Amino acid sequence: MKVLSKSLYVVTSPELVSAVARNAKTLSFNPFISEIGIRLTGADDATRAIIDDNLDGKRGYWGYVVEVHDRTVAAMGPGRDLDLATKTMLSEAVLSLESSKQAFSNAPVNLYNLIKHILTLCSSRSLYGPENPFATQPELEDAFWDYETDINVFLINLAPSLLARKAYLGREKVAHAFKRFFDRDPTGRSSALAEARYEAAHKYGITTTNMGRLEVGTLIGILVNTVPTLFYLLYHIFSDRSLLHSLRAEFQSSTPRGTQEKDSEQREINLDTTTLRENCPLLSSTYQEVLRLYSRGATARLVTQDTILNNQYLLTKGSVLMMPASVLHFSPAIWGQTDFQARRFLKHDAAAGGPKKGSAAAYRPFGGGSSLCPGRHFASAEILALAAVILFQYDIEPAAGKWTPPVPCQKNLAVNVFTPRSDVLVSISPRPGFEDIKWTFN
């Protein structure tokens, strides 16, 4: 296919997806980093030059992108830094839910907006510390999500300051706030991720003005896929009574209880986020199935030199290759029945008649190969743990009396999980007997 004089190749088979990964040196995502990043954040030409310098690492292990990527992988990979970030986020989320109990009892709430609010404040607290811009300037929450609403205008670079004025002003507010945040060295008062990004930017000469702008792009990665994913996960859990009962029983049997003070109704529950996926396989499977069903973006590669893919197809230099997750995730040949199956990713014998589990190459909620999302461990940890807290302590019912399946709205091409077309008004209340829980996190 020819698009604007360039060839466009579309890969829709797991075999060819694996072949793309084997040719990472000539089928590269990196060339898109600079252009997309500058359009989304508004960083200046000097910053673009720093980003472009040794972008692919072919001239040795140095360069802003090379260093930021590897330090992000280290900070957000399994280990002490990830555990601390997750624990901080969950502690803040529990406090947020506790403080909202009175509001829950007074009137129904919009579920998507509630999740968006909790994750925005608690994730930013986890990664940027107690003095993060969202904490000191609460109006930035609306500013960021105003920006996200019209992000496609920035992607196509179609005069966003005029055609998406509210979104443009929202981005500017957030960028300026993070500029002031980085004016004070965040070392010692934020997470390993924020410190690593600051140190790399400072090392390569990026100004704090442009650090603030680049951080807008980081926030997209931290929040924009996570919020709808948790929303869809909670919908599927609470709209299926049988699944909800099974998940609660699984969590209760696998999670150690702390001590309960004499004459106190408060019970303590210790949640170990590092073993949650192992101890709660049904919850993990449900989460993975939500990602399969709602991850519908596409990953791109630039053909940097003529490449023969899988000994079959000639890809010409300068062409673009796309791998749409929506095609791979909904292929009956790969998955069998493609409707939601919470137990699809359980370890079961296929001969026993359980839902078909597709190949690893066909499952791309976090991309794959050299562009595999470095923040996937943090996203998964916070979504799974927060879902566990909510499903165990709270009841959620649709205010209309009946759950309506959410319909994803493809309005943001910069993300992988699209937002729902409409919110769901719900009633939230503590489960009888579980009103007063003290959560601790390992």
Side-chain angles (χ1 to χ4, degrees), residues 7 20 61 72 155 157 166 170 176 198 200 225 227-228 230 234 259 271 336 341 345 358 367 374 387-388 419:
S7 293
V20 170
Y61 184 76
T72 299
L155 276 175
N157 202 25
K166 188 175 182 181
H176 290 158
Y198 171 81
N225 287 306
V227 170
L230 180 56
L234 292 179
T259 58
L271 196 163
Q341 303 282 336
F345 290 90
T419 58

mmCIF file of all heavy atoms in Angstrom, residues 7 20 61 72 155 157 166 170 176 198 200 225 227-228 230 234 259 271 336 341 345 358 367 374 387-388 419:
data_model
loop_
_atom_site.group_PDB
_atom_site.id
_atom_site.type_symbol
_atom_site.label_atom_id
_atom_site.label_comp_id
_atom_site.label_asym_id
_atom_site.label_seq_id
_atom_site.Cartn_x
_atom_site.Cartn_y
_atom_site.Cartn_z
ATOM 1 N N SER A 7 5.647 3.365 1.024
ATOM 2 C CA SER A 7 4.955 2.084 1.140
ATOM 3 C C SER A 7 4.584 1.846 2.598
ATOM 4 O O SER A 7 5.341 2.165 3.511
ATOM 5 C CB SER A 7 5.861 0.947 0.654
ATOM 6 O OG SER A 7 6.086 1.063 -0.737
ATOM 7 N N VAL A 20 9.519 -9.575 12.619
ATOM 8 C CA VAL A 20 9.822 -8.150 12.794
ATOM 9 C C VAL A 20 10.751 -7.953 13.992
ATOM 10 O O VAL A 20 11.730 -7.207 13.927
ATOM 11 C CB VAL A 20 8.520 -7.339 12.985
ATOM 12 C CG1 VAL A 20 8.838 -5.903 13.408
ATOM 13 C CG2 VAL A 20 7.708 -7.337 11.698
ATOM 14 N N TYR A 61 27.181 3.288 23.587
ATOM 15 C CA TYR A 61 26.195 3.411 24.656
ATOM 16 C C TYR A 61 26.243 4.816 25.252
ATOM 17 O O TYR A 61 26.892 5.077 26.276
ATOM 18 C CB TYR A 61 26.445 2.368 25.753
ATOM 19 C CG TYR A 61 25.388 2.413 26.828
ATOM 20 C CD1 TYR A 61 24.129 1.871 26.607
ATOM 21 C CD2 TYR A 61 25.638 3.033 28.048
ATOM 22 C CE1 TYR A 61 23.142 1.937 27.572
ATOM 23 C CE2 TYR A 61 24.662 3.098 29.021
ATOM 24 C CZ TYR A 61 23.418 2.559 28.783
ATOM 25 O OH TYR A 61 22.441 2.632 29.734
ATOM 26 N N THR A 72 14.902 3.878 32.792
ATOM 27 C CA THR A 72 13.477 3.662 33.039
ATOM 28 C C THR A 72 13.193 2.183 33.250
ATOM 29 O O THR A 72 12.439 1.797 34.151
ATOM 30 C CB THR A 72 12.625 4.193 31.874
ATOM 31 O OG1 THR A 72 12.841 5.604 31.731
ATOM 32 C CG2 THR A 72 11.144 3.930 32.111
ATOM 33 N N LEU A 155 -0.911 15.350 17.408
ATOM 34 C CA LEU A 155 -0.227 14.322 16.628
ATOM 35 C C LEU A 155 -0.100 14.700 15.161
ATOM 36 O O LEU A 155 0.934 14.487 14.535
ATOM 37 C CB LEU A 155 -0.960 12.991 16.762
ATOM 38 C CG LEU A 155 -0.637 12.135 17.985
ATOM 39 C CD1 LEU A 155 -1.541 10.913 18.013
ATOM 40 C CD2 LEU A 155 0.826 11.702 17.987
ATOM 41 N N ASN A 157 -0.287 17.694 14.133
ATOM 42 C CA ASN A 157 0.349 19.014 14.112
ATOM 43 C C ASN A 157 -0.473 20.025 13.317
ATOM 44 O O ASN A 157 0.066 20.803 12.526
ATOM 45 C CB ASN A 157 1.769 18.913 13.547
ATOM 46 C CG ASN A 157 2.637 20.081 13.984
ATOM 47 O OD1 ASN A 157 2.394 20.693 15.015
ATOM 48 N ND2 ASN A 157 3.652 20.392 13.194
ATOM 49 N N LYS A 166 -8.331 24.718 24.174
ATOM 50 C CA LYS A 166 -8.436 24.278 25.568
ATOM 51 C C LYS A 166 -7.386 23.219 25.884
ATOM 52 O O LYS A 166 -6.745 23.249 26.936
ATOM 53 C CB LYS A 166 -9.842 23.735 25.830
ATOM 54 C CG LYS A 166 -10.119 23.431 27.292
ATOM 55 C CD LYS A 166 -11.575 23.004 27.482
ATOM 56 C CE LYS A 166 -11.877 22.755 28.951
ATOM 57 N NZ LYS A 166 -13.302 22.319 29.133
ATOM 58 N N GLY A 170 -4.173 23.529 28.380
ATOM 59 C CA GLY A 170 -3.987 22.503 29.401
ATOM 60 C C GLY A 170 -2.572 21.948 29.385
ATOM 61 O O GLY A 170 -1.937 21.797 30.437
ATOM 62 N N HIS A 176 4.473 23.892 32.285
ATOM 63 C CA HIS A 176 5.071 24.962 33.093
ATOM 64 C C HIS A 176 5.180 24.540 34.555
ATOM 65 O O HIS A 176 6.160 24.860 35.240
ATOM 66 C CB HIS A 176 4.239 26.236 32.975
ATOM 67 C CG HIS A 176 4.326 26.875 31.620
ATOM 68 N ND1 HIS A 176 3.369 27.739 31.126
ATOM 69 C CD2 HIS A 176 5.251 26.762 30.636
ATOM 70 C CE1 HIS A 176 3.703 28.117 29.896
ATOM 71 N NE2 HIS A 176 4.846 27.543 29.581
ATOM 72 N N TYR A 198 15.446 13.227 35.286
ATOM 73 C CA TYR A 198 16.055 14.536 35.539
ATOM 74 C C TYR A 198 17.570 14.483 35.319
ATOM 75 O O TYR A 198 18.143 15.359 34.659
ATOM 76 C CB TYR A 198 15.751 14.986 36.961
ATOM 77 C CG TYR A 198 16.526 16.219 37.378
ATOM 78 C CD1 TYR A 198 16.094 17.487 37.002
ATOM 79 C CD2 TYR A 198 17.697 16.112 38.131
ATOM 80 C CE1 TYR A 198 16.806 18.620 37.364
ATOM 81 C CE2 TYR A 198 18.418 17.242 38.508
ATOM 82 C CZ TYR A 198 17.964 18.489 38.115
ATOM 83 O OH TYR A 198 18.684 19.610 38.456
ATOM 84 N N ALA A 200 19.392 12.402 33.515
ATOM 85 C CA ALA A 200 19.763 12.233 32.113
ATOM 86 C C ALA A 200 19.547 13.524 31.332
ATOM 87 O O ALA A 200 20.388 13.923 30.510
ATOM 88 C CB ALA A 200 18.951 11.091 31.496
ATOM 89 N N ASN A 225 -3.269 5.060 29.363
ATOM 90 C CA ASN A 225 -3.686 3.667 29.147
ATOM 91 C C ASN A 225 -4.179 3.013 30.438
ATOM 92 O O ASN A 225 -5.055 2.147 30.411
ATOM 93 C CB ASN A 225 -2.525 2.834 28.586
ATOM 94 C CG ASN A 225 -2.218 3.154 27.147
ATOM 95 O OD1 ASN A 225 -3.086 3.101 26.286
ATOM 96 N ND2 ASN A 225 -0.960 3.500 26.872
ATOM 97 N N VAL A 227 -5.812 4.266 33.143
ATOM 98 C CA VAL A 227 -7.152 4.625 33.612
ATOM 99 C C VAL A 227 -8.240 3.794 32.919
ATOM 100 O O VAL A 227 -9.060 3.154 33.596
ATOM 101 C CB VAL A 227 -7.403 6.133 33.445
ATOM 102 C CG1 VAL A 227 -8.864 6.475 33.704
ATOM 103 C CG2 VAL A 227 -6.501 6.925 34.391
ATOM 104 N N PRO A 228 -8.303 3.756 31.588
ATOM 105 C CA PRO A 228 -9.354 2.938 30.970
ATOM 106 C C PRO A 228 -9.198 1.447 31.235
ATOM 107 O O PRO A 228 -10.189 0.725 31.321
ATOM 108 C CB PRO A 228 -9.238 3.266 29.476
ATOM 109 C CG PRO A 228 -7.871 3.806 29.286
ATOM 110 C CD PRO A 228 -7.532 4.497 30.569
ATOM 111 N N LEU A 230 -8.141 -0.039 34.032
ATOM 112 C CA LEU A 230 -8.747 -0.332 35.330
ATOM 113 C C LEU A 230 -10.272 -0.212 35.253
ATOM 114 O O LEU A 230 -10.994 -1.007 35.860
ATOM 115 C CB LEU A 230 -8.189 0.602 36.396
ATOM 116 C CG LEU A 230 -8.734 0.395 37.819
ATOM 117 C CD1 LEU A 230 -8.529 -1.040 38.294
ATOM 118 C CD2 LEU A 230 -8.090 1.376 38.790
ATOM 119 N N LEU A 234 -12.729 -3.345 36.216
ATOM 120 C CA LEU A 234 -13.761 -3.287 37.246
ATOM 121 C C LEU A 234 -15.143 -3.552 36.661
ATOM 122 O O LEU A 234 -15.981 -4.202 37.303
ATOM 123 C CB LEU A 234 -13.732 -1.925 37.944
ATOM 124 C CG LEU A 234 -12.488 -1.641 38.793
ATOM 125 C CD1 LEU A 234 -12.574 -0.254 39.417
ATOM 126 C CD2 LEU A 234 -12.301 -2.697 39.876
ATOM 127 N N THR A 259 -2.946 -8.848 62.526
ATOM 128 C CA THR A 259 -3.602 -8.982 63.821
ATOM 129 C C THR A 259 -4.804 -8.051 63.922
ATOM 130 O O THR A 259 -4.869 -7.020 63.254
ATOM 131 C CB THR A 259 -2.616 -8.631 64.945
ATOM 132 O OG1 THR A 259 -2.149 -7.292 64.733
ATOM 133 C CG2 THR A 259 -1.435 -9.579 64.932
ATOM 134 N N LEU A 271 -1.244 -7.017 51.832
ATOM 135 C CA LEU A 271 -1.249 -7.370 50.414
ATOM 136 C C LEU A 271 0.175 -7.284 49.875
ATOM 137 O O LEU A 271 0.783 -6.216 49.871
ATOM 138 C CB LEU A 271 -2.181 -6.433 49.634
ATOM 139 C CG LEU A 271 -2.619 -6.856 48.231
ATOM 140 C CD1 LEU A 271 -3.839 -6.034 47.790
ATOM 141 C CD2 LEU A 271 -1.522 -6.688 47.192
ATOM 142 N N GLY A 336 -9.610 -18.543 18.995
ATOM 143 C CA GLY A 336 -10.881 -19.249 19.062
ATOM 144 C C GLY A 336 -11.987 -18.238 19.287
ATOM 145 O O GLY A 336 -12.091 -17.241 18.559
ATOM 146 N N GLN A 341 -13.369 -13.832 27.979
ATOM 147 C CA GLN A 341 -13.265 -15.098 28.709
ATOM 148 C C GLN A 341 -12.276 -14.892 29.856
ATOM 149 O O GLN A 341 -11.061 -14.928 29.659
ATOM 150 C CB GLN A 341 -12.760 -16.220 27.783
ATOM 151 C CG GLN A 341 -13.599 -16.460 26.547
ATOM 152 C CD GLN A 341 -14.859 -17.244 26.867
ATOM 153 O OE1 GLN A 341 -14.913 -17.967 27.864
ATOM 154 N NE2 GLN A 341 -15.873 -17.119 26.018
ATOM 155 N N PHE A 345 -6.463 -17.074 30.360
ATOM 156 C CA PHE A 345 -5.026 -17.104 30.612
ATOM 157 C C PHE A 345 -4.638 -17.940 31.832
ATOM 158 O O PHE A 345 -3.492 -17.888 32.265
ATOM 159 C CB PHE A 345 -4.496 -15.673 30.748
ATOM 160 C CG PHE A 345 -4.495 -14.916 29.447
ATOM 161 C CD1 PHE A 345 -5.605 -14.179 29.059
ATOM 162 C CD2 PHE A 345 -3.401 -14.961 28.595
ATOM 163 C CE1 PHE A 345 -5.632 -13.489 27.858
ATOM 164 C CE2 PHE A 345 -3.409 -14.274 27.391
ATOM 165 C CZ PHE A 345 -4.524 -13.538 27.009
ATOM 166 N N GLY A 358 -3.894 -17.692 22.858
ATOM 167 C CA GLY A 358 -3.090 -17.462 21.664
ATOM 168 C C GLY A 358 -1.607 -17.441 21.961
ATOM 169 O O GLY A 358 -1.163 -17.510 23.108
ATOM 170 N N GLY A 367 2.961 -3.549 23.386
ATOM 171 C CA GLY A 367 3.897 -3.550 22.267
ATOM 172 C C GLY A 367 4.725 -4.820 22.298
ATOM 173 O O GLY A 367 4.282 -5.860 22.773
ATOM 174 N N PRO A 374 8.423 0.066 28.827
ATOM 175 C CA PRO A 374 9.253 -0.107 30.033
ATOM 176 C C PRO A 374 8.474 0.089 31.325
ATOM 177 O O PRO A 374 8.951 -0.294 32.393
ATOM 178 C CB PRO A 374 10.336 0.968 29.866
ATOM 179 C CG PRO A 374 9.706 2.008 29.014
ATOM 180 C CD PRO A 374 8.790 1.286 28.075
ATOM 181 N N ALA A 387 -7.361 -3.043 41.951
ATOM 182 C CA ALA A 387 -8.562 -3.828 41.657
ATOM 183 C C ALA A 387 -8.853 -4.809 42.791
ATOM 184 O O ALA A 387 -10.008 -4.991 43.194
ATOM 185 C CB ALA A 387 -8.396 -4.576 40.340
ATOM 186 N N ALA A 388 -7.800 -5.429 43.343
ATOM 187 C CA ALA A 388 -7.970 -6.371 44.448
ATOM 188 C C ALA A 388 -8.541 -5.667 45.677
ATOM 189 O O ALA A 388 -9.458 -6.194 46.333
ATOM 190 C CB ALA A 388 -6.633 -7.033 44.779
ATOM 191 N N THR A 419 -10.492 5.116 25.550
ATOM 192 C CA THR A 419 -11.438 5.453 26.612
ATOM 193 C C THR A 419 -12.839 4.986 26.237
ATOM 194 O O THR A 419 -13.159 4.819 25.063
ATOM 195 C CB THR A 419 -11.470 6.971 26.844
ATOM 196 O OG1 THR A 419 -11.834 7.619 25.615
ATOM 197 C CG2 THR A 419 -10.125 7.485 27.297
#
